[in-house]
Amino acid sequence: MVFARDRNNIQEGASNYELTVRIIKAQNIHGTDIVSKPDCYVCLQLPTSLADRKRTRTVWDNANPVWDETFHFRIHSQVKNVLELSVYDEDVGTGDDYLFTVSYDLGNVPLDENVVENFTLNKEFQEELQVEFNLVIIPESQKKVTTNGVLVCPEMVALQVEVHKERKGAFKKKTELALSVRGSFEDSHRILLQSDSDHELNLHETAVFHFPRDFGTEMTATLCRVYSSFDVTFTNETENDSSNQTTVPLSLISPMENYINVQIPAIEVKPLDMQIRLNECPEKLDVRLGFDLCDKEKIFLQKRQRVVAHTLKKVLQLEEDLVGEEIPVVAVMATGGGARAMACLYSHLCGLQNMGLLDCVTYIASASGSTWTTCKLFEDPNWSQNKLSEAINNAKKHVTKNKISTFSVDRLKYYRKELQQTAKDGQKPSFTDLWGLMLESMFNNGKNETRLSDQQAALDNGQNPLPIYLAINVKQNTISTLDFKEWCEFTPYEVGLLKYGASIRTEDFGSEFYMGRLMKKHPEPRTCFLQGLWGNVFSLNLVDTWYLTTQLDTFWDTWVKDRIKDIDKEDIRVRRESAHTKTRLFTPAGVFSRIWKGVLTNRPIDGEQHNFLRGLYLHKDYHQLPQFTTWKDSNLDNFPNKLTPLADNLCLVDAGYFINASFPPLLRQERKVDVIISFDYTLDTPLLSLEQTCNYCTTQGIGFPKISLSEEERKTHKECYVFNDEDNHNCPTVLHFPLVNDTFKKFKEPGVLRSPEEMSDGNVDVTGAFSPYFLTNFTYSERDFDRLMKLTQYNLSNNTELILDALHTAVERRKARNISHKMHQTQAQKKT
């Protein structure tokens, strides 16, 4: 199967299946009760079907329960369908004991055959669960789905419900109609059936539900009595009767122009009439499915190439102009580090400008504290064409000022007002938002109204590099960052989750999406809120802190991590195609481990963002697409039911919780980066993020130079390291500038020794425990700020030749590849 890389791929021939699951029996089940036999029941959950969670009856006091119960699901042929079978031991008076879950890929079930699986739960005790599966095609016309090979978007329809409200006094008691459609964007509507006035003109009310057309959902309509207290209506305190409930299977209705009449038995005399119909929804998606760069970035690159080519010819003293594929892509990578990273990035960019190299740069990637710099710079559409000394002076004013006003009564009132406005704008206020407002107070003059999308003005003519901001998506609770993290990049054009090949317009970040459509538009957040998200040093959980401090995860793996193992038998392995996931047995941890897990993984002060992948599904062959496995960084990638498309919200946090660097967006093959100038602002371990990136890329098969250092090199850090791969010209050259104080102690400028009176200016403490630049310090003295600026600019200018050599090499490699490519084209044409 071939998938398009640069556009949405429309596949024909998607079908619907009727899945029948018969829970037959289990044997030798060991419950948690020592004095009695287990009281077992089985729960069935298939998140990719819109059916409710189903369960068998309980078989009491029996270690070998026999259920012989059958359940039905409607599933989609192009979607990865994984059924979860969970066994519980029921307890009367206390919570039921959860014993285990079997995760089974329904792709193992052939069409029109009965397949009986005996799942081995415990070999030692010969525990087994026996289940029968049957899969048949539902006769109907073929449907089309939109997919990029990783995500699938089936057709969406809108159910329109028209209800006629009665005149005042028609009902003896207040009555409302409760409508619900499981799996829809809206989920439910409540309509008060009695009008407030005899003269009310509009007695009709309309409810709309958007849902996937082929997933077999139903509409439930219930008439409820509403009780009031002190003239306030409490809609959640209702009395209803199952006889007043009507269920309409929506899979039996085809989109049509005419309404269908539905009658609901009324609490009082006459039934309630309502009309329903299905409307088709536009096929065009607001979520871009594709791994290629967006069109706006491609246009920017064409414009930026002209600036880069002109600058490279000048600084490298080339005789000929660089054109097309001969022009290398140079990127700046900046790590986090709080106010230290913010100040140092200003200095480094100023140094590149002074060296005439800033216009050679196409991308600037930043994470955590360094994002505060790029956000501020890009408020000026022509910032790189102006002297950066003024921007540094402005930063100095904010870094050196007293921050006590950040916590004044007036500021606290302002924070409260802004958080209330955030709630009105459709977002759930969090500590991350409060932190963003505090950063705004510390490093800005008053309220900053800018949005990330406003930065497009700084890219219109290719006059500045393209900024990329990095975050990671994690699970908010129960799962550590060690086990799950997904890169999320922000640019002025798009916000995208790299692994899934899904992006939205930056203007739409924070809005609500469903099935790839923009359903509810909310205002784009101000950049201060994004800065709080990108640089929130407070949303670490204890596991993250342990890992960042010790680099050891043995405690987590040994004592806390859930037990998961492959239980496929040979006959399943023979049947299973390469794209099918393994059958896995999940055994929950003990009470002690569950308590520890809750303590260690809880992120009490994280914020949540609307998940723009909501309503999309993983493709049945998502593992076969190279782009997905390239960005695979999670143990949960083999558990599609736990991945982001099925999550209600995103939990985006500081990328430094995994690797304190912003390399990943620059390593995308589509960006073709040749040289990365890496600025590392870590105090005590200035090479750690580089080594972590190397290990990560080696594991994932991403092109990155090998980082090999001797013990001596680890003890004595240099001002600049050059790493490249001579055997792989597609691998970028990395020039790594750690934050160290080496020759600066003796030289105030390259080649200019300090006088005895100036020696104290060279004593910049960037390693000691009492360094003024520690992470949580946001206020520096003017002297400390100035010395940090001089140190970083000196380290850069002292290694100018290394940078120029790397640029020369990149140009030569580009030219050689271009000549080779033309030769291959010529040979191919001759053969044709």
Side-chain angles (χ1 to χ4, degrees):
M1 187 177 296
V2 179
F3 300 105
R5 290 170 58 85
D6 59 348
R7 61 182 177 84
N8 294 341
N9 183 34
I10 306 298
Q11 285 189 342
E12 302 291 340
S15 303
N16 294 317
Y17 296 152
E18 177 73 24
L19 170 68
T20 302
V21 182
R22 184 163 71 100
I23 308 298
I24 302 174
K25 63 181 181 179
Q27 64 181 33
N28 301 321
I29 300 297
H30 286 67
T32 56
D33 196 336
I34 301 176
V35 297
S36 65
K37 295 179 181 179
D39 310 309
C40 293
Y41 64 91
V42 180
C43 284
L44 299 86
Q45 188 165 15
L46 184 57
T48 51
S49 173
L50 298 184
D52 289 322
R53 187 182 189 190
K54 304 174 186 289
R55 61 159 288 180
T56 65
R57 69 184 188 282
T58 300
V59 178
W60 299 94
D61 196 28
N62 195 330
N64 299 287
V66 176
W67 294 283
D68 195 22
E69 292 186 49
T70 301
F71 303 91
H72 299 277
F73 299 89
R74 185 185 177 106
I75 62 177
H76 197 281
S77 65
Q78 295 298 316
V79 168
K80 173 63 75 176
N81 298 291
V82 176
L83 178 65
E84 296 175 0
L85 302 165
S86 301
V87 179
Y88 290 84
D89 182 2
E90 185 167 345
D91 288 328
V92 178
T94 61
D96 297 346
D97 296 319
Y98 170 34
L99 302 182
F100 52 76
T101 292
V102 173
S103 176
Y104 182 71
D105 189 341
L106 296 172
N108 296 319
V109 181
L111 286 173
D112 302 319
E113 292 184 26
N114 289 334
V115 175
V116 177
E117 303 284 14
N118 291 292
F119 299 114
T120 300
L121 310 175
N122 189 313
K123 284 186 178 181
E124 181 182 355
F125 299 110
Q126 295 184 330
E127 286 182 302
E128 282 193 350
L129 175 66
Q130 188 178 82
V131 184
E132 182 184 60
F133 300 92
N134 181 267
L135 202 62
V136 298
I137 294 180
I138 298 175
E140 58 184 10
S141 60
Q142 290 185 336
K143 301 293 191 301
K144 59 184 178 182
V145 295
T146 304
T147 179
N148 63 355
V150 172
L151 295 175
V152 171
C153 182
E155 288 186 274
M156 184 170 80
V157 291
L159 175 69
Q160 186 172 333
V161 183
E162 297 282 351
V163 179
H164 180 76
K165 298 169 66 173
E166 297 292 339
R167 295 285 183 185
K168 185 177 180 180
F171 289 96
K172 296 178 182 178
K173 297 181 179 179
K174 278 191 175 181
T175 305
E176 71 175 6
L177 175 65
L179 300 171
S180 66
V181 176
R182 181 176 172 81
S184 66
F185 169 74
E186 295 80 6
D187 187 57
S188 63
H189 281 292
R190 306 184 81 91
I191 300 174
L192 189 64
L193 295 177
Q194 184 168 287
S195 66
D196 295 329
S197 171
D198 289 329
H199 305 291
E200 186 175 336
L201 297 177
N202 185 12
L203 290 174
H204 285 85
E205 190 158 340
T206 302
V208 179
F209 297 91
H210 296 84
F211 60 94
R213 176 177 178 179
D214 302 317
F215 281 51
T217 191
E218 57 189 20
M219 181 190 72
T220 301
T222 308
L223 288 174
C224 311
R225 284 177 180 159
V226 182
Y227 293 89
S228 301
S229 177
F230 301 105
D231 296 325
V232 178
T233 300
F234 297 91
T235 58
N236 60 328
E237 296 181 10
T238 59
E239 177 186 277
N240 58 67
D241 190 332
S242 60
S243 62
N244 301 317
Q245 181 173 297
T246 298
T247 300
V248 181
L250 300 178
S251 59
L252 303 179
I253 304 174
S254 300
M256 59 180 64
E257 295 183 1
N258 298 326
Y259 282 95
I260 297 175
N261 290 321
V262 177
Q263 203 170 64
I264 305 174
I267 297 174
E268 296 170 355
V269 183
K270 65 175 184 177
L272 176 69
D273 291 322
M274 64 180 182
Q275 292 77 41
I276 65 173
R277 73 173 179 186
L278 286 183
N279 299 318
E280 293 184 342
C281 295
E283 293 182 359
K284 187 177 183 302
L285 303 184
D286 299 302
V287 174
R288 186 175 69 86
L289 297 182
F291 292 89
D292 202 6
L293 304 178
C294 70
D295 291 339
K296 287 186 176 181
E297 184 170 340
K298 291 177 183 178
I299 294 172
F300 161 80
L301 289 176
Q302 293 174 355
K303 297 176 180 178
R304 187 63 179 173
Q305 271 190 332
R306 294 193 288 268
V307 177
V308 171
H310 174 76
T311 307
L312 283 175
K313 182 181 179 181
K314 180 180 178 181
V315 298
L316 299 181
Q317 299 179 358
L318 303 176
E319 295 181 358
E320 299 179 351
D321 293 337
L322 297 175
V323 293
E325 291 299 314
E326 296 178 348
I327 306 171
V329 177
V330 181
V332 165
M333 190 292 304
T335 69
R340 178 181 67 247
M342 180 187 73
C344 287
L345 184 54
Y346 275 115
S347 178
H348 275 137
L349 293 177
C350 182
L352 289 174
Q353 186 183 63
N354 293 336
M355 296 158 62
L357 297 176
L358 187 54
D359 281 341
C360 297
V361 177
T362 299
Y363 293 105
I364 299 178
S366 54
S368 196
S370 58
T371 65
W372 308 343
T373 298
T374 42
C375 266
K376 189 62 180 177
L377 286 175
F378 276 85
E379 291 178 15
D380 178 4
N382 297 300
W383 69 267
S384 66
Q385 312 307 312
N386 303 323
K387 285 292 184 180
L388 287 179
S389 54
E390 183 178 344
I392 290 179
N393 288 333
N394 184 61
K396 176 181 177 179
K397 180 180 67 175
H398 290 296
V399 173
T400 57
K401 74 181 181 183
N402 192 307
K403 305 296 190 300
I404 191 66
S405 61
T406 302
F407 307 97
S408 67
V409 174
D410 288 340
R411 295 306 296 177
L412 294 176
K413 290 180 179 179
Y414 167 73
Y415 300 154
R416 180 180 180 182
K417 179 182 177 182
E418 289 299 306
L419 293 177
Q420 289 174 339
Q421 184 59 49
T422 298
K424 291 179 182 178
D425 289 341
Q427 306 298 328
K428 183 179 178 181
S430 67
F431 177 84
T432 299
D433 298 319
L434 176 59
W435 174 238
L437 291 170
M438 293 169 69
L439 290 175
E440 177 189 57
S441 175
M442 288 188 282
F443 301 121
N444 283 277
N445 296 317
K447 184 175 181 179
N448 188 348
E449 295 284 2
T450 62
R451 267 74 174 169
L452 180 55
S453 61
D454 295 337
Q455 297 179 14
Q456 294 181 26
L459 307 171
D460 284 344
N461 300 310
Q463 70 269 36
N464 300 297
L466 174 69
I468 306 175
Y469 307 88
L470 187 64
I472 53 174
N473 179 46
V474 298
K475 296 291 185 183
Q476 191 164 27
N477 293 305
T478 73
I479 296 174
S480 77
T481 309
L482 301 176
D483 290 332
F484 183 84
K485 56 268 176 183
E486 297 173 334
W487 302 115
C488 181
E489 71 171 37
F490 293 72
T491 76
Y493 299 132
E494 284 190 331
V495 177
L497 287 166
L498 304 186
K499 183 166 68 177
Y500 301 103
S503 308
I504 58 172
R505 297 189 319 151
T506 301
E507 296 92 326
D508 296 330
F509 180 72
S511 296
E512 296 181 52
F513 288 79
Y514 185 70
M515 295 186 68
R517 280 85 168 180
L518 177 59
M519 304 299 294
K520 189 178 291 186
K521 175 66 177 172
H522 297 308
E524 180 186 355
R526 296 192 288 119
T527 51
C528 72
F529 293 116
L530 295 180
Q531 289 173 322
L533 183 157
W534 298 326
N536 184 0
V537 297
F538 300 105
S539 57
L540 282 170
N541 59 30
L542 292 181
V543 173
D544 298 332
T545 306
W546 175 269
Y547 174 70
L548 291 174
T549 304
T550 66
Q551 295 298 304
L552 297 174
D553 55 5
T554 53
F555 173 81
W556 173 260
D557 290 336
T558 304
W559 297 102
V560 183
K561 199 171 182 178
D562 294 316
R563 289 165 286 173
I564 301 172
K565 65 178 181 179
D566 175 12
I567 60 170
D568 270 345
K569 294 183 178 179
E570 188 60 34
D571 60 330
I572 299 181
R573 293 190 179 97
V574 172
R575 261 186 284 129
R576 186 178 66 229
E577 299 177 7
S578 59
H580 295 163
T581 57
K582 296 177 181 179
T583 305
R584 288 180 168 83
L585 176 68
F586 170 84
T587 306
V591 175
F592 170 78
S593 296
R594 288 201 299 270
I595 293 174
W596 263 109
K597 177 190 273 192
V599 172
L600 294 173
T601 62
N602 185 40
R603 302 177 191 271
I605 54 177
D606 272 341
E608 294 180 343
Q609 294 79 33
H610 294 298
N611 181 11
F612 56 85
L613 299 189
R614 185 184 166 206
L616 301 176
Y617 299 86
L618 286 164
H619 191 275
K620 65 183 181 65
D621 300 323
Y622 74 96
H623 265 151
Q624 287 186 325
L625 201 72
Q627 285 87 345
F628 182 86
T629 54
T630 294
W631 294 101
K632 177 181 176 183
D633 54 13
S634 162
N635 293 331
L636 292 188
D637 282 340
N638 293 314
F639 295 85
N641 291 352
K642 296 183 181 296
L643 291 181
T644 302
L646 294 178
D648 291 330
N649 298 289
L650 301 176
C651 183
L652 298 176
V653 299
D654 192 323
Y657 300 157
F658 178 36
I659 299 174
N660 185 27
S662 53
F663 283 109
L666 304 177
L667 300 176
R668 290 179 60 181
Q669 294 180 3
E670 295 81 7
R671 291 203 166 111
K672 303 177 182 179
V673 175
D674 300 278
V675 178
I676 299 177
I677 303 175
S678 168
F679 295 132
D680 194 322
Y681 305 128
T682 310
L683 282 184
D684 300 320
T685 53
L687 295 172
L688 177 61
S689 64
L690 193 67
E691 293 180 292
Q692 288 177 325
T693 302
C694 177
N695 293 334
Y696 171 76
C697 291
T698 301
T699 303
Q700 311 305 330
I702 303 170
F704 195 81
K706 184 178 180 181
I707 309 301
S708 179
L709 300 169
S710 66
E711 287 301 319
E712 185 61 29
E713 288 175 318
R714 293 179 185 277
K715 293 177 182 177
T716 306
H717 299 127
K718 298 190 298 185
E719 294 169 349
C720 180
Y721 297 82
V722 180
F723 300 99
N724 55 37
D725 189 341
E726 296 292 344
D727 299 326
N728 182 6
H729 289 180
N730 293 320
C731 181
T733 297
V734 176
L735 294 98
H736 188 68
F737 289 85
L739 187 58
V740 297
N741 188 2
D742 187 14
T743 61
F744 183 70
K745 295 175 182 178
K746 297 180 180 180
F747 294 85
K748 62 179 180 181
E749 293 179 12
V752 181
L753 284 169
R754 295 183 182 278
S755 65
E757 294 78 15
E758 296 171 327
M759 293 301 291
S760 61
D761 293 335
N763 295 325
V764 185
D765 184 4
V766 290
T767 57
F770 300 100
S771 169
Y773 310 111
F774 60 90
L775 181 63
T776 55
N777 182 23
F778 296 99
T779 305
Y780 301 161
S781 69
E782 291 191 8
R783 185 166 184 262
D784 286 335
F785 183 90
D786 291 338
R787 291 200 299 178
L788 187 61
M789 296 297 98
K790 291 177 181 178
L791 168 67
T792 47
Q793 291 187 33
Y794 168 86
N795 285 351
L796 191 63
S797 59
N798 198 39
N799 293 277
T800 302
E801 290 303 317
L802 292 179
I803 300 176
L804 295 178
D805 288 344
L807 296 179
H808 266 294
T809 302
V811 170
E812 295 303 317
R813 285 182 176 181
R814 279 276 185 163
K815 285 186 175 181
R817 284 203 301 265
N818 195 39
I819 293 172
S820 177
H821 179 67
K822 288 181 178 179
M823 289 177 61
H824 281 100
Q825 281 185 327
T826 302
Q827 291 174 358
Q829 290 173 355
K830 288 181 178 179
K831 289 181 180 180
T832 303

